[in-house]
Amino acid sequence: MPNRISEILMPPASAPTGTATPPPEELSGLAAEMHQAFAADGWLSGSPDFEYRAEQQRMAVEVGQALEKKRPVLIEAGTGVGKSLAYLVPAALLAVRQKRKALITTHTINLQEQLIAKDIPIVQKLLPQYPFNAVLLKGRGNYLCPSRLARAMRGVTELFTTAEHDELRALWKWHEDTRDGTLSDLEFSPSPNVWSQVCSETHACTPKTCGPDSRCAYQDARRRAAEADMIVVNHTLFFTLLSAQEDMGVEGEGFLFPNDFVIMDEAHTMENVAAKQLGLHISQNSLRFDIGRLYNPRSQKGLFALARRAEGVQKCAKLLELVDVFFEHVRETVTFSPAGKEFRVRRAGLVENTLNGSLLELVQEIRTVQEDDSAAENIVSEITEMGRRLGEVRAGLEEFLTQSRDGHVYWVERIGIDGRNLSLHAAPIDVSPLLRALFFSGQKTCVFTSATLGAGEPGLRYFRRRCGAEKVRAVEIGSPFDWEQQMKLYLVRSLPDPNTPGYESALEEWIKHFLELSEGRAFVLFTSYKLMESLASRMEPWMRRKKWNLLVQGKGKPRHQLLADFKEDIHSVLFGTESFWTGVDVPGEALSNVIITRLPFAVPDHPLTAARIEHIEGRGGNSFVEYSVPEAVLKLRQGVGRLIRTKKDRGIAVILDPRVLTKAYGKTFLEALPPSPWEVAG
């Protein structure tokens, strides 16, 4: 049972330790202008949308300096600084004055929508003398292409089943009314087969085939992006375009456009997103799907049926069988742990490449269609796209099986509810050389910011080392919140070992104790899905007696619906794992308590994590100190950071892991958290 509070402590005051910002008298150009603009009596102060914050002023000065001097900068800015305004104002001014595009990239959809719907319109009102336009750019696959939709309608009999006809007609009706033309504007979820035949694709949706009068959503978005002063994208799309450079080739100092500059918000996710996007991914499902678009033996539909290509039909049917045999051979060769989803492949030649010859035959069959003067142009463009995809798969399979990429880790992953489908992956173990070359060499202008770039160490050394930014200016800006008044941190000195029988009972009692302090209104964050489910089952009767709604991740409702329910029922309690530690914003009293059940150390069972640890150990480093602890600190900061989102918020944060008090590394975790009072129990 929980004991009384045994100690009340105040952590040592710790000011951010990054590089100091020059004093006002040493500033010039855009930096000096930002110092004046964001001052308490500056030219932004006349707006009702502006509130003076010294921290925001400092950040705007740093951004202004970096943009004008064409250099990179890293800025950790605590919660409440108002990062968006601090980078949007100088970015907009530079974009308009110098006719350079500002690329704003974020990790979460929530922040993208906030920028487009709220923050950028505020900046446009603040800068009436410098009008600028901003657009949101999504990946191609989100946009409807009317030309492809019309082609699909013409080939409806050969391409679609009867059940898909109605869906296609609904898309046609929606197209007549929509101005947005993206999936987010669609009131129903189209089947993958139907949407894949009507969305924008590289060879089938081009400026030539989809001119200004076509109402093509993607080409319209691309034209708007070409004309815009500011473009908002997500990290995934940014790295996809950067690595492909086929949609928006660029020379000179820019990234995606000539002479553009980048501001990356939520930059703490950059390393993992870059590793994923700059790596390799081949899915059994996706490969079957792409071949099935050419010809599906079950439905007897597809592009080869439409083109009356009997030879292509036969080759598709043969290849689909070979795909299943190949991946079944992979399954028989690897050994997944009972609960594991990944198997690391340490040597080349996992299985024989039995798909290479048939893939080559199919690609050659596609070329015969391309060379056939009698083939309809619409069929040629569609089949050309499939040829490109299958060519990439063929090359990727060879790379995976020969392990031809130096410095990469390779693994097989089982996916889907039953784990029957497999995917093949490769990712760079250390992305710092790639990111150093992309961002921090030459005259590239970029700003990287987040509330959590540091792992408690001075000068953001961990982030800089992981991302190749060792020589880049790093600035740490504290939060304007009054942590002593707004948050209290509770720690527990003793709990049974998690592997002992009494652990769950003790954890349950402590969770109940702290939920009663906040009358529900809490996130309870877990590192183990199994433990979360077990505790939810144990505590559900108690929650019912308290008349608190218990919301549990993974019980059918998507994350956005769980959050909506949580905000609506003010005394509800949400049990969550990975995705609730970060990117969730619940201001107000609905969230008054964040309970951390365990320090979020990553289990090194994922091949990429294991390979990173081996890489550090291989060069003589200490992977626990250099990687495991900093990663866990960052995640803890993100989790605790869910609590206080505005100056009016009040609440408690709880860490139910005694290691923060009993282990030497615990000090690192505690010193990285906001300077609020501690209360130690147990």
Side-chain angles (χ1 to χ4, degrees), residues 74 90 129 194 201 207 218 237 273 275 296 306 354 365 368 394 397 401 408 414 444 460 505 531 565 567 633 639 655:
L74 314 177
Q129 70 276 43
V194 171
E201 284 187 344
Y218 176 73
L237 177 59
V273 174
N296 185 332
L306 183 62
T354 54
E365 180 65 26
T368 65
R394 180 170 169 265
L397 272 174
L401 294 173
H408 281 58
R414 50 182 175 183
K444 298 279 189 178
L460 307 180
S505 295
L531 179 62
D565 292 348
K567 292 174 183 178
V633 169
I655 302 177

Side-chain angles (χ1 to χ4, degrees), residues 17-18 74-76 453-455 457-465 473-476 637:
T17 56
L74 314 177
I75 305 174
E76 178 180 274
L453 285 183
E457 81 292 9
L460 307 180
R461 282 200 304 260
Y462 179 70
F463 180 86
R464 291 162 75 186
R465 186 174 67 247
R473 178 179 176 81
V475 182
E476 295 169 77
R637 292 186 68 197

Side-chain angles (χ1 to χ4, degrees), residues 345-532:
V345 182
R346 294 181 178 271
R347 294 183 182 87
L350 174 69
V351 295
E352 185 183 348
N353 191 351
T354 54
L355 296 180
N356 186 63
S358 294
L359 276 168
L360 181 58
E361 286 180 10
L362 193 55
V363 170
Q364 289 171 337
E365 180 65 26
I366 287 171
R367 287 187 185 136
T368 65
V369 179
Q370 293 171 307
E371 294 165 0
D372 185 351
D373 293 337
S374 65
E377 185 179 345
N378 63 307
I379 295 176
V380 171
S381 62
E382 294 288 336
I383 287 182
T384 297
E385 173 63 20
M386 300 316 302
R388 181 189 67 83
R389 291 190 180 201
L390 293 175
E392 287 180 352
V393 168
R394 180 170 169 265
L397 272 174
E398 187 66 15
E399 285 182 11
F400 181 87
L401 294 173
T402 60
Q403 298 204 353
S404 59
R405 297 190 183 191
D406 292 335
H408 281 58
V409 58
Y410 295 81
W411 72 95
V412 179
E413 192 168 321
R414 50 182 175 183
I415 54 179
I417 298 173
D418 58 0
R420 290 302 305 167
N421 290 293
L422 301 181
S423 54
L424 313 178
H425 301 263
I429 298 169
D430 180 7
V431 295
S432 62
L434 295 168
L435 296 178
R436 188 182 299 115
L438 284 172
F439 296 110
F440 310 124
S441 301
Q443 287 261 300
K444 298 279 189 178
T445 309
C446 42
V447 175
F448 300 86
T449 186
S450 170
T452 51
L453 285 183
E457 81 292 9
L460 307 180
R461 282 200 304 260
Y462 179 70
F463 180 86
R464 291 162 75 186
R465 186 174 67 247
R466 299 298 304 176
C467 295
E470 297 90 341
K471 297 180 181 180
V472 175
R473 178 179 176 81
V475 182
E476 295 169 77
I477 301 174
S479 167
F481 293 159
D482 184 350
W483 294 105
E484 187 174 345
Q485 297 298 318
Q486 290 185 253
M487 186 178 95
K488 184 174 287 186
L489 178 65
Y490 288 89
L491 309 173
V492 173
R493 186 170 292 282
S494 62
L495 265 173
D497 186 273
N499 298 317
T500 61
Y503 173 71
E504 282 196 25
S505 295
L507 187 63
E508 178 184 354
E509 292 305 314
W510 278 113
I511 292 173
K512 288 178 178 177
H513 172 74
F514 288 111
L515 287 178
E516 286 183 327
L517 285 186
S518 61
E519 298 180 343
R521 301 185 295 176
F523 277 4
V524 184
L525 300 179
F526 293 83
T527 59
S528 163
Y529 189 84
K530 183 178 179 182
L531 179 62
M532 179 187 73

Side-chain angles (χ1 to χ4, degrees), residues 2-11 487-495 510 513-514 517 594-596 599 636 640 652-662 666-667 669-671 673-674 676-682:
N3 298 328
R4 63 181 177 80
I5 300 299
S6 57
E7 300 174 54
I8 300 178
L9 305 169
M10 268 302 284
M487 186 178 95
K488 184 174 287 186
L489 178 65
Y490 288 89
L491 309 173
V492 173
R493 186 170 292 282
S494 62
L495 265 173
W510 278 113
H513 172 74
F514 288 111
L517 285 186
V594 172
I595 299 175
I596 307 291
L599 291 178
L636 180 68
V640 172
I652 63 173
V654 182
I655 302 177
L656 296 178
D657 191 327
R659 290 177 292 179
V660 292
L661 295 168
T662 61
K667 183 180 178 183
F669 284 88
L670 293 175
E671 289 183 346
L673 295 177
S676 64
W678 305 345
E679 292 196 1
V680 182

Side-chain angles (χ1 to χ4, degrees), residues 16-312:
T17 56
T19 305
T21 302
E25 60 272 15
E26 295 181 15
L27 299 175
S28 62
L30 188 59
E33 190 175 4
M34 290 303 95
H35 184 272
Q36 194 283 327
F38 282 83
D41 58 352
W43 54 266
L44 295 179
S45 62
S47 169
D49 294 312
F50 177 78
E51 173 191 354
Y52 171 69
R53 288 171 248 187
E55 296 83 1
Q56 187 181 57
Q57 182 187 35
R58 183 185 174 197
M59 180 173 173
V61 167
E62 288 289 346
V63 174
Q65 273 194 321
L67 296 185
E68 188 160 63
K69 295 185 178 182
K70 293 187 176 181
R71 70 184 188 193
V73 66
L74 314 177
I75 305 174
E76 178 180 274
T79 309
V81 165
K83 295 191 300 297
S84 300
L85 201 64
Y87 62 68
L88 286 173
V89 170
L93 287 174
L94 191 81
V96 173
R97 290 170 177 172
Q98 297 188 10
K99 300 191 184 309
R100 299 175 63 190
K101 283 191 190 302
L103 292 176
I104 315 294
T105 171
T106 79
H107 183 65
T108 61
I109 294 173
N110 285 347
L111 182 52
Q112 277 188 302
E113 292 175 346
Q114 177 188 312
L115 287 171
I116 287 293
K118 178 186 173 187
D119 296 338
I120 290 174
I122 286 175
V123 174
Q124 287 170 325
K125 284 198 298 182
L126 290 171
L127 302 175
Q129 70 276 43
Y130 293 101
F132 69 96
N133 58 4
V135 298
L136 173 64
L137 186 63
K138 304 176 184 179
R140 267 187 182 269
N142 288 281
Y143 295 90
L144 178 77
C145 173
S147 298
R148 296 194 71 218
L149 176 61
R151 295 170 199 162
M153 293 290 284
R154 288 196 297 270
V156 66
T157 306
E158 291 83 5
L159 293 173
F160 302 99
T161 64
T162 304
E164 292 169 331
H165 292 183
D166 291 339
E167 200 171 290
L168 202 62
R169 282 191 287 269
L171 283 170
W172 185 270
K173 186 174 185 306
W174 168 71
H175 162 61
E176 292 176 336
D177 300 326
T178 183
R179 291 187 175 183
D180 180 75
T182 71
L183 275 171
S184 60
D185 188 49
L186 194 55
E187 293 182 352
F188 65 94
S189 297
S191 68
N193 183 50
V194 171
W195 185 253
S196 71
Q197 308 276 9
V198 300
C199 68
S200 176
E201 284 187 344
T202 305
H203 287 88
C205 173
T206 67
K208 180 182 176 182
T209 60
C210 301
D213 298 328
S214 69
R215 290 186 61 217
C216 176
Y218 176 73
Q219 296 301 334
D220 284 349
R222 187 177 178 182
R223 280 188 287 270
R224 289 197 303 272
E227 297 167 358
D229 303 294
M230 185 177 288
I231 303 169
V232 179
V233 298
N234 64 28
H235 296 345
T236 298
L237 177 59
F238 176 77
F239 280 107
T240 299
L241 294 175
L242 199 59
S243 60
Q245 287 294 327
E246 62 182 28
D247 275 347
M248 301 172 183
V250 64
E251 297 177 358
E253 298 174 2
F255 293 92
L256 302 182
F257 298 88
N259 205 27
D260 63 17
F261 59 91
V262 167
I263 295 178
M264 184 173 285
D265 204 341
E266 300 176 310
H268 59 278
T269 63
M270 178 170 69
E271 180 188 7
N272 287 331
V273 174
K276 181 179 178 182
Q277 294 308 122
L278 300 175
L280 176 70
H281 169 81
I282 299 172
S283 160
Q284 179 181 2
N285 269 347
S286 295
L287 180 52
R288 285 188 55 84
F289 183 79
D290 285 345
I291 298 167
R293 281 182 57 186
L294 289 168
Y295 182 73
N296 185 332
R298 288 186 180 179
S299 64
Q300 299 184 343
K301 309 291 182 182
L303 291 166
F304 278 141
L306 183 62
R308 304 288 192 268
R309 292 279 172 165
E311 198 80 24

